[in-house]
Amino acid sequence: MRFPRPFVLAALLSLLTGAAPAAELKLRVLSTTDIHMNLVDYDFVRDEADETIGLNRTAALIAEARAENPNAILVDNGDLLQGAPMGDVAARVRPLKDGELHPAYAAMNLMGYDVAVAGNHEFNYGLELLERAQVGPNFPMLAGNVYRLKADGSAGETLFPASLLLTRSFTDDAGAAREVKIGVIGVLTPQIMNWDKDKLTGKLTTGDAVEAVEREIPLLKAQGADVIVVLAHAGINGQPRQGMDENFSYYLAKVQGVDAVVTGHSHRVFPGKDYEGLAGADLSRGTIDGKPYVMAGSFGSHLGVIDLTLEDASGKWAIKDGRAEARPVAEKGKARLPADAKITEALKDWTEATLAYIRAPIGEAKGPFNTYLALLGDTAALRLVADAQLGYAQKLVQGTPYEGLPLLSAVAPFRVGGRPGPDYYTDVKAGPVAIKDAADLYIYPNMLAIVKLTGAEVREYLEKAARLFNQIDPAKAGPQPLVGNMPAYNFDILFGLTYTIDVTRPARYGRGPAIEDPNAFRIGDILIGGEPLDETKDYLVITNNYRANGGGEFPRMDGTAVALVAPETNREILIEHIRARGEIVPDNTPVWRFAPVPDGPNGPPDIRIEIGPGGAALAAADQRLTRIETNAEGFDVYGVKLGP
Ligand code: MG
Ligand code: MN
């Protein structure tokens, strides 16, 4: 039997010196992911400081983690160049000149990154900007499953290198300098060809990410890689592998030779409670199938820390232990460490330019868009969002199996009083509209999602939303509050239909997704284009990832009805819609109406609704409303007549 030469040498050396067993070396892989141009701790959409995000905040955690263990490499896992308004500034408003340093790389060069992978959003501004920006970073970008398209239509070389060998001199536990060769493979969700088809068709093609990793491992091993780390711009999904998976990270643990996986794309935290019950996951160690995994949230909210203990008892480095954690920059809204002032300073000009950009008009409102009367049927503020979603979805479904199905656009009034208080309404006034107004119209950072439902399921969806209202008894004496304690962000309205809601009937649904009262129906007269909804036909409902994956516990909304998920947030889609229109005109045409509530023996029932004082003028002009009092929380209480 022949022993490998290093082993023989090491054995000989220990015989000669009587040395103890070989020393261990602690290697640390630090990672950021889905920074989305949140380079500083400022929410440019809301125009306010936010110390829970920002690469200048993550940088402080990186310095801390390096001080704990200097044997560290730093990687970025993609979705870097697009997202927060500073991305638009660098791409479109003050577009990067030839040779100019992109603000993301201005920050990252100061932080000493070793390597990055492209995320799907790197392609949003087209290939030209992406390639132009690559003059800046002093570290390479990888893209192992994105290929240039050859003239014959086949896949050519990768757009960026698929992998890279980092040779580093680190210090082992005995204090000796030791060489470690770290192979890094970068792959991303292959769906860029659907999401950015207008910019990439004819130029690029994508392949399966897991196969690309399998292809690169022997190449890196042949170059002497001691450790292999995969940068996977993809989420962790325990469903069976299908090939060309969007969220393929989970499968990498099963690939022989992969030692650690950096994940992202779904803006979650691993290890973390989102992944309780995931088969093979150990959330206390941060492993899947024994291999360390990390996902560092989004926007700089977390730092990914993978710790590997290497030992060389066999004559070459082997992994003795691996674990991972995601360290938050903030706890309960408060940052743990001060922001890195060097980075904040380096981005000062870009920050100024971005503030000017978000405060400048993107369009002109020809009248008010507000939600004061949204629970009584006003639609203007919601219709603007619904129209933006519809325009986007019409393009997204093109060329998919869903093309041609009727599209319904779901929007809920997110800001409509309730528990957050009487000032909590969407209120965009006539005049110039800025980006922060788009945040008022759509406050959540949801991604647009499209679900496929039958007509019967669409009716159930509306029944679930109509649970917002209390059951009104026309015969009952005394005040009856119209709105129950369900949050109104679950009161989805389906634009594209018209229908009635009969609040004299009991709710068909309770809190959960199951029918509670099978005989109860509140929704009536559902029409689409003047025709009754066909309960047997398929419809596409445009909503968001929150709703589609179970938020609000709507029937069928457990993720299995999802047809398409866009790579854009509903708010980004709204901003683009307003910008493209220039002028926006409020339209309060009803989508739904209350079915008439009959009088009881003593006349109309005393139905009550609370409206914030900002809606006083609108309420005064509404024939259905009679002002009664201002309550202790500061809401104006009105009597509302829903009679015939
Ligand atoms: Mg992504
Ligand atoms: Mn992302």
Side-chain angles (χ1 to χ4, degrees), residues 430-481:
V433 177
I435 282 176
K436 62 179 175 180
D437 296 311
D440 188 6
L441 287 155
Y442 203 109
I443 55 164
Y444 297 112
N446 296 328
M447 310 297 283
L448 181 138
I450 299 178
V451 293
K452 189 179 81 155
L453 298 179
T454 65
E457 289 165 345
V458 167
R459 184 173 46 73
E460 297 294 342
Y461 191 108
L462 292 173
E463 288 285 356
K464 173 72 183 184
R467 171 182 170 259
L468 175 77
F469 298 111
N470 291 320
Q471 186 180 3
I472 300 299
D473 178 355
K476 194 176 152 192
Q480 300 185 61

Short mmCIF file of all heavy atoms in Angstrom, two decimals, residues 430-481:
data_model
loop_
_atom_site.label_atom_id
_atom_site.label_comp_id
_atom_site.label_asym_id
_atom_site.label_seq_id
_atom_site.Cartn_x
_atom_site.Cartn_y
_atom_site.Cartn_z
N ALA A 430 -53.66 65.35 -4.21
CA ALA A 430 -53.46 65.83 -5.57
C ALA A 430 -52.16 66.62 -5.64
O ALA A 430 -51.80 67.31 -4.70
CB ALA A 430 -54.64 66.71 -5.97
N GLY A 431 -51.46 66.48 -6.76
CA GLY A 431 -50.19 67.19 -6.94
C GLY A 431 -49.08 66.22 -7.27
O GLY A 431 -49.33 65.08 -7.65
N PRO A 432 -47.83 66.69 -7.12
CA PRO A 432 -46.71 65.82 -7.49
C PRO A 432 -46.66 64.56 -6.62
O PRO A 432 -46.93 64.61 -5.42
CB PRO A 432 -45.47 66.69 -7.22
CG PRO A 432 -45.98 68.08 -7.08
CD PRO A 432 -47.40 68.00 -6.64
N VAL A 433 -46.32 63.44 -7.25
CA VAL A 433 -46.20 62.16 -6.54
C VAL A 433 -44.73 61.78 -6.52
O VAL A 433 -44.07 61.78 -7.56
CB VAL A 433 -47.01 61.07 -7.27
CG1 VAL A 433 -46.85 59.72 -6.58
CG2 VAL A 433 -48.49 61.44 -7.33
N ALA A 434 -44.21 61.47 -5.33
CA ALA A 434 -42.81 61.05 -5.20
C ALA A 434 -42.76 59.58 -4.81
O ALA A 434 -43.79 58.95 -4.54
CB ALA A 434 -42.10 61.91 -4.16
N ILE A 435 -41.55 59.03 -4.79
CA ILE A 435 -41.40 57.61 -4.49
C ILE A 435 -41.96 57.27 -3.13
O ILE A 435 -42.57 56.22 -2.92
CB ILE A 435 -39.92 57.21 -4.64
CG1 ILE A 435 -39.63 57.05 -6.13
CG2 ILE A 435 -39.60 55.92 -3.89
CD1 ILE A 435 -38.21 56.75 -6.48
N LYS A 436 -41.83 58.18 -2.18
CA LYS A 436 -42.37 57.83 -0.86
C LYS A 436 -43.89 57.75 -0.86
O LYS A 436 -44.47 57.07 -0.02
CB LYS A 436 -41.82 58.72 0.24
CG LYS A 436 -42.11 60.16 0.14
CD LYS A 436 -41.48 60.81 1.38
CE LYS A 436 -41.60 62.29 1.36
NZ LYS A 436 -40.99 62.87 2.57
N ASP A 437 -44.55 58.40 -1.81
CA ASP A 437 -46.00 58.23 -1.93
C ASP A 437 -46.35 56.81 -2.39
O ASP A 437 -47.38 56.26 -2.01
CB ASP A 437 -46.57 59.25 -2.92
CG ASP A 437 -46.40 60.68 -2.42
OD1 ASP A 437 -46.74 60.93 -1.24
OD2 ASP A 437 -45.91 61.52 -3.18
N ALA A 438 -45.47 56.24 -3.21
CA ALA A 438 -45.69 54.85 -3.63
C ALA A 438 -45.59 53.92 -2.42
O ALA A 438 -46.29 52.91 -2.35
CB ALA A 438 -44.69 54.45 -4.70
N ALA A 439 -44.76 54.28 -1.46
CA ALA A 439 -44.66 53.49 -0.24
C ALA A 439 -45.91 53.64 0.61
O ALA A 439 -46.30 52.71 1.31
CB ALA A 439 -43.43 53.90 0.55
N ASP A 440 -46.55 54.79 0.54
CA ASP A 440 -47.81 54.98 1.25
C ASP A 440 -48.90 54.13 0.61
O ASP A 440 -49.71 53.51 1.29
CB ASP A 440 -48.18 56.48 1.21
CG ASP A 440 -49.38 56.82 2.08
OD1 ASP A 440 -49.87 55.94 2.81
OD2 ASP A 440 -49.82 57.99 2.02
N LEU A 441 -48.89 54.06 -0.71
CA LEU A 441 -49.89 53.27 -1.43
C LEU A 441 -49.65 51.77 -1.28
O LEU A 441 -50.58 50.97 -1.35
CB LEU A 441 -49.87 53.64 -2.91
CG LEU A 441 -50.47 55.01 -3.22
CD1 LEU A 441 -49.89 55.58 -4.51
CD2 LEU A 441 -51.99 54.94 -3.31
N TYR A 442 -48.38 51.37 -1.11
CA TYR A 442 -48.07 49.94 -0.96
C TYR A 442 -46.94 49.82 0.05
O TYR A 442 -45.77 49.90 -0.30
CB TYR A 442 -47.68 49.30 -2.31
CG TYR A 442 -47.90 47.81 -2.30
CD1 TYR A 442 -48.93 47.23 -3.04
CD2 TYR A 442 -47.10 46.97 -1.51
CE1 TYR A 442 -49.16 45.86 -2.99
CE2 TYR A 442 -47.33 45.61 -1.46
CZ TYR A 442 -48.36 45.06 -2.21
OH TYR A 442 -48.59 43.71 -2.16
N ILE A 443 -47.30 49.62 1.31
CA ILE A 443 -46.28 49.72 2.37
C ILE A 443 -45.43 48.47 2.52
O ILE A 443 -44.34 48.54 3.05
CB ILE A 443 -46.88 50.06 3.75
CG1 ILE A 443 -47.97 49.07 4.14
CG2 ILE A 443 -47.34 51.47 3.82
CD1 ILE A 443 -48.28 49.13 5.62
N TYR A 444 -45.92 47.32 2.08
CA TYR A 444 -45.17 46.08 2.36
C TYR A 444 -44.21 45.75 1.22
O TYR A 444 -44.53 45.97 0.05
CB TYR A 444 -46.13 44.91 2.57
CG TYR A 444 -47.02 45.11 3.76
CD1 TYR A 444 -48.39 45.29 3.61
CD2 TYR A 444 -46.49 45.15 5.05
CE1 TYR A 444 -49.21 45.50 4.70
CE2 TYR A 444 -47.30 45.35 6.14
CZ TYR A 444 -48.66 45.52 5.97
OH TYR A 444 -49.47 45.73 7.04
N PRO A 445 -43.04 45.17 1.56
CA PRO A 445 -42.08 44.81 0.50
C PRO A 445 -42.40 43.45 -0.13
O PRO A 445 -41.52 42.62 -0.32
CB PRO A 445 -40.75 44.79 1.25
CG PRO A 445 -41.11 44.37 2.63
CD PRO A 445 -42.49 44.91 2.90
N ASN A 446 -43.68 43.20 -0.42
CA ASN A 446 -44.08 41.92 -1.02
C ASN A 446 -43.59 41.80 -2.45
O ASN A 446 -43.41 42.80 -3.14
CB ASN A 446 -45.61 41.81 -1.06
CG ASN A 446 -46.23 41.80 0.32
OD1 ASN A 446 -45.65 41.31 1.26
ND2 ASN A 446 -47.42 42.36 0.43
N MET A 447 -43.46 40.55 -2.89
CA MET A 447 -43.19 40.28 -4.31
C MET A 447 -44.54 39.96 -4.97
O MET A 447 -45.38 39.28 -4.39
CB MET A 447 -42.28 39.07 -4.49
CG MET A 447 -41.02 39.08 -3.65
SD MET A 447 -39.90 40.42 -4.01
CE MET A 447 -39.16 39.84 -5.52
N LEU A 448 -44.69 40.40 -6.21
CA LEU A 448 -45.92 40.06 -6.93
C LEU A 448 -45.95 38.56 -7.20
O LEU A 448 -44.95 37.97 -7.61
CB LEU A 448 -45.99 40.85 -8.24
CG LEU A 448 -47.24 40.61 -9.09
CD1 LEU A 448 -47.76 41.94 -9.67
CD2 LEU A 448 -46.98 39.62 -10.21
N ALA A 449 -47.10 37.95 -6.95
CA ALA A 449 -47.29 36.52 -7.22
C ALA A 449 -48.63 36.33 -7.90
O ALA A 449 -49.57 37.09 -7.67
CB ALA A 449 -47.23 35.72 -5.92
N ILE A 450 -48.71 35.32 -8.75
CA ILE A 450 -49.95 35.01 -9.45
C ILE A 450 -50.36 33.59 -9.08
O ILE A 450 -49.55 32.66 -9.15
CB ILE A 450 -49.77 35.13 -10.98
CG1 ILE A 450 -49.36 36.56 -11.34
CG2 ILE A 450 -51.04 34.73 -11.71
CD1 ILE A 450 -49.10 36.76 -12.83
N VAL A 451 -51.61 33.46 -8.63
CA VAL A 451 -52.14 32.13 -8.31
C VAL A 451 -53.20 31.75 -9.34
O VAL A 451 -53.89 32.62 -9.88
CB VAL A 451 -52.74 32.07 -6.89
CG1 VAL A 451 -51.65 32.24 -5.84
CG2 VAL A 451 -53.84 33.10 -6.69
N LYS A 452 -53.31 30.46 -9.60
CA LYS A 452 -54.35 29.97 -10.51
C LYS A 452 -55.45 29.33 -9.67
O LYS A 452 -55.20 28.44 -8.87
CB LYS A 452 -53.77 28.94 -11.49
CG LYS A 452 -54.76 28.58 -12.59
CD LYS A 452 -54.18 27.57 -13.57
CE LYS A 452 -54.27 26.18 -13.00
NZ LYS A 452 -54.31 25.12 -13.99
N LEU A 453 -56.68 29.83 -9.85
CA LEU A 453 -57.83 29.33 -9.08
C LEU A 453 -58.98 29.04 -10.03
O LEU A 453 -59.10 29.68 -11.07
CB LEU A 453 -58.29 30.39 -8.07
CG LEU A 453 -57.32 30.83 -6.98
CD1 LEU A 453 -57.96 31.90 -6.12
CD2 LEU A 453 -56.88 29.65 -6.12
N THR A 454 -59.83 28.12 -9.62
CA THR A 454 -61.08 27.95 -10.36
C THR A 454 -62.03 29.06 -9.95
O THR A 454 -61.84 29.71 -8.91
CB THR A 454 -61.74 26.60 -10.04
OG1 THR A 454 -62.12 26.63 -8.65
CG2 THR A 454 -60.80 25.43 -10.30
N GLY A 455 -63.08 29.26 -10.74
CA GLY A 455 -64.08 30.26 -10.39
C GLY A 455 -64.66 30.00 -9.00
O GLY A 455 -64.89 30.93 -8.23
N ALA A 456 -64.88 28.72 -8.68
CA ALA A 456 -65.42 28.38 -7.36
C ALA A 456 -64.44 28.81 -6.26
O ALA A 456 -64.84 29.30 -5.21
CB ALA A 456 -65.69 26.87 -7.28
N GLU A 457 -63.14 28.62 -6.53
CA GLU A 457 -62.13 29.03 -5.54
C GLU A 457 -62.03 30.55 -5.43
O GLU A 457 -61.75 31.09 -4.36
CB GLU A 457 -60.78 28.41 -5.90
CG GLU A 457 -60.75 26.91 -5.66
CD GLU A 457 -59.57 26.19 -6.32
OE1 GLU A 457 -58.92 26.77 -7.21
OE2 GLU A 457 -59.33 25.03 -5.95
N VAL A 458 -62.26 31.24 -6.55
CA VAL A 458 -62.29 32.70 -6.51
C VAL A 458 -63.42 33.16 -5.58
O VAL A 458 -63.24 34.08 -4.77
CB VAL A 458 -62.46 33.29 -7.93
CG1 VAL A 458 -62.81 34.77 -7.88
CG2 VAL A 458 -61.20 33.06 -8.77
N ARG A 459 -64.58 32.52 -5.68
CA ARG A 459 -65.71 32.88 -4.81
C ARG A 459 -65.34 32.64 -3.34
O ARG A 459 -65.62 33.48 -2.47
CB ARG A 459 -66.96 32.07 -5.19
CG ARG A 459 -68.18 32.47 -4.39
CD ARG A 459 -69.47 31.79 -4.88
NE ARG A 459 -69.31 30.36 -5.11
CZ ARG A 459 -69.19 29.46 -4.14
NH1 ARG A 459 -69.20 29.83 -2.87
NH2 ARG A 459 -69.04 28.18 -4.44
N GLU A 460 -64.67 31.51 -3.06
CA GLU A 460 -64.26 31.24 -1.68
C GLU A 460 -63.27 32.31 -1.18
O GLU A 460 -63.30 32.71 -0.02
CB GLU A 460 -63.63 29.85 -1.56
CG GLU A 460 -64.56 28.69 -1.89
CD GLU A 460 -65.71 28.53 -0.89
OE1 GLU A 460 -65.63 29.07 0.23
OE2 GLU A 460 -66.72 27.86 -1.25
N TYR A 461 -62.39 32.72 -2.07
CA TYR A 461 -61.40 33.76 -1.74
C TYR A 461 -62.12 35.04 -1.30
O TYR A 461 -61.79 35.65 -0.28
CB TYR A 461 -60.57 34.01 -3.00
CG TYR A 461 -59.32 34.85 -2.87
CD1 TYR A 461 -58.06 34.27 -2.95
CD2 TYR A 461 -59.38 36.24 -2.74
CE1 TYR A 461 -56.90 35.03 -2.87
CE2 TYR A 461 -58.23 37.01 -2.66
CZ TYR A 461 -56.99 36.40 -2.73
OH TYR A 461 -55.85 37.16 -2.65
N LEU A 462 -63.17 35.41 -2.05
CA LEU A 462 -63.93 36.61 -1.70
C LEU A 462 -64.68 36.42 -0.39
O LEU A 462 -64.79 37.35 0.42
CB LEU A 462 -64.92 36.95 -2.82
CG LEU A 462 -64.28 37.42 -4.14
CD1 LEU A 462 -65.36 37.56 -5.21
CD2 LEU A 462 -63.56 38.76 -3.94
N GLU A 463 -65.20 35.21 -0.17
CA GLU A 463 -65.90 34.93 1.09
C GLU A 463 -64.94 35.10 2.27
O GLU A 463 -65.31 35.63 3.31
CB GLU A 463 -66.47 33.49 1.08
CG GLU A 463 -67.67 33.29 0.16
CD GLU A 463 -68.97 33.89 0.72
OE1 GLU A 463 -68.97 34.39 1.86
OE2 GLU A 463 -69.98 33.87 -0.02
N LYS A 464 -63.72 34.62 2.08
CA LYS A 464 -62.73 34.74 3.16
C LYS A 464 -62.45 36.22 3.46
O LYS A 464 -62.41 36.64 4.62
CB LYS A 464 -61.45 34.01 2.76
CG LYS A 464 -60.29 34.20 3.70
CD LYS A 464 -60.46 33.45 5.01
CE LYS A 464 -59.29 33.74 5.95
NZ LYS A 464 -59.37 32.97 7.18
N ALA A 465 -62.26 37.02 2.41
CA ALA A 465 -61.98 38.45 2.60
C ALA A 465 -63.15 39.15 3.29
O ALA A 465 -62.95 40.03 4.13
CB ALA A 465 -61.67 39.10 1.26
N ALA A 466 -64.37 38.72 2.95
CA ALA A 466 -65.58 39.39 3.48
C ALA A 466 -65.79 39.10 4.96
O ALA A 466 -66.68 39.68 5.59
CB ALA A 466 -66.81 38.95 2.68
N ARG A 467 -64.97 38.26 5.52
CA ARG A 467 -65.00 38.01 6.97
C ARG A 467 -64.66 39.28 7.75
O ARG A 467 -64.92 39.38 8.95
CB ARG A 467 -64.00 36.89 7.27
CG ARG A 467 -63.76 36.65 8.72
CD ARG A 467 -62.73 35.56 8.93
NE ARG A 467 -62.37 35.56 10.35
CZ ARG A 467 -61.27 36.10 10.85
NH1 ARG A 467 -60.37 36.62 10.05
NH2 ARG A 467 -61.06 36.09 12.13
N LEU A 468 -64.10 40.26 7.07
CA LEU A 468 -63.77 41.53 7.72
C LEU A 468 -64.97 42.10 8.48
O LEU A 468 -64.82 42.72 9.53
CB LEU A 468 -63.30 42.55 6.67
CG LEU A 468 -63.03 43.96 7.20
CD1 LEU A 468 -61.69 44.00 7.91
CD2 LEU A 468 -63.06 44.99 6.07
N PHE A 469 -66.16 41.93 7.88
CA PHE A 469 -67.33 42.61 8.44
C PHE A 469 -68.04 41.75 9.48
O PHE A 469 -68.15 40.53 9.32
CB PHE A 469 -68.31 42.96 7.30
CG PHE A 469 -67.71 43.90 6.29
CD1 PHE A 469 -67.41 43.47 5.01
CD2 PHE A 469 -67.42 45.21 6.64
CE1 PHE A 469 -66.84 44.34 4.08
CE2 PHE A 469 -66.84 46.08 5.72
CZ PHE A 469 -66.56 45.64 4.45
N ASN A 470 -68.50 42.41 10.52
CA ASN A 470 -69.35 41.72 11.49
C ASN A 470 -70.70 41.41 10.86
O ASN A 470 -71.13 42.09 9.92
CB ASN A 470 -69.58 42.64 12.70
CG ASN A 470 -68.32 42.82 13.52
OD1 ASN A 470 -67.56 41.87 13.72
ND2 ASN A 470 -68.09 44.04 13.99
N GLN A 471 -71.39 40.40 11.41
CA GLN A 471 -72.75 40.12 10.93
C GLN A 471 -73.69 41.15 11.54
O GLN A 471 -73.68 41.40 12.75
CB GLN A 471 -73.18 38.70 11.32
CG GLN A 471 -74.52 38.35 10.70
CD GLN A 471 -74.99 36.95 11.08
OE1 GLN A 471 -74.34 36.24 11.86
NE2 GLN A 471 -76.13 36.54 10.52
N ILE A 472 -74.48 41.77 10.68
CA ILE A 472 -75.42 42.79 11.11
C ILE A 472 -76.82 42.17 11.22
O ILE A 472 -77.27 41.49 10.29
CB ILE A 472 -75.45 43.96 10.09
CG1 ILE A 472 -74.05 44.62 9.97
CG2 ILE A 472 -76.52 44.99 10.46
CD1 ILE A 472 -73.50 45.23 11.25
N ASP A 473 -77.44 42.41 12.35
CA ASP A 473 -78.82 41.92 12.56
C ASP A 473 -79.76 43.12 12.43
O ASP A 473 -79.78 44.01 13.29
CB ASP A 473 -78.93 41.30 13.95
CG ASP A 473 -80.35 40.81 14.24
OD1 ASP A 473 -81.25 41.04 13.40
OD2 ASP A 473 -80.53 40.20 15.32
N PRO A 474 -80.54 43.18 11.34
CA PRO A 474 -81.39 44.37 11.10
C PRO A 474 -82.39 44.62 12.23
O PRO A 474 -82.79 45.76 12.45
CB PRO A 474 -82.12 44.03 9.80
CG PRO A 474 -81.32 42.95 9.15
CD PRO A 474 -80.66 42.19 10.26
N ALA A 475 -82.75 43.54 12.94
CA ALA A 475 -83.78 43.68 13.97
C ALA A 475 -83.21 44.12 15.32
O ALA A 475 -83.95 44.48 16.23
CB ALA A 475 -84.52 42.35 14.13
N LYS A 476 -81.88 44.06 15.43
CA LYS A 476 -81.26 44.33 16.73
C LYS A 476 -81.29 45.83 17.07
O LYS A 476 -81.02 46.67 16.21
CB LYS A 476 -79.81 43.84 16.70
CG LYS A 476 -79.15 43.74 18.07
CD LYS A 476 -77.75 43.16 17.94
CE LYS A 476 -76.88 43.69 19.08
NZ LYS A 476 -75.47 43.41 18.89
N ALA A 477 -81.60 46.12 18.33
CA ALA A 477 -81.56 47.51 18.79
C ALA A 477 -80.14 47.84 19.26
O ALA A 477 -79.41 46.96 19.68
CB ALA A 477 -82.55 47.71 19.92
N GLY A 478 -79.75 49.11 19.16
CA GLY A 478 -78.43 49.53 19.65
C GLY A 478 -77.37 49.44 18.58
O GLY A 478 -77.57 48.84 17.52
N PRO A 479 -76.22 50.06 18.85
CA PRO A 479 -75.15 50.16 17.85
C PRO A 479 -74.55 48.80 17.49
O PRO A 479 -74.36 47.96 18.37
CB PRO A 479 -74.10 51.04 18.51
CG PRO A 479 -74.75 51.64 19.72
CD PRO A 479 -75.88 50.75 20.11
N GLN A 480 -74.23 48.63 16.22
CA GLN A 480 -73.57 47.42 15.73
C GLN A 480 -72.36 47.84 14.90
O GLN A 480 -72.53 48.41 13.82
CB GLN A 480 -74.52 46.58 14.86
CG GLN A 480 -75.78 46.13 15.56
CD GLN A 480 -76.61 45.21 14.68
OE1 GLN A 480 -76.16 44.14 14.28
NE2 GLN A 480 -77.83 45.64 14.36
N PRO A 481 -71.13 47.59 15.41
CA PRO A 481 -69.96 47.96 14.60
C PRO A 481 -69.89 47.14 13.32
O PRO A 481 -70.06 45.91 13.35
CB PRO A 481 -68.77 47.68 15.52
CG PRO A 481 -69.29 46.84 16.64
CD PRO A 481 -70.78 46.96 16.68
#
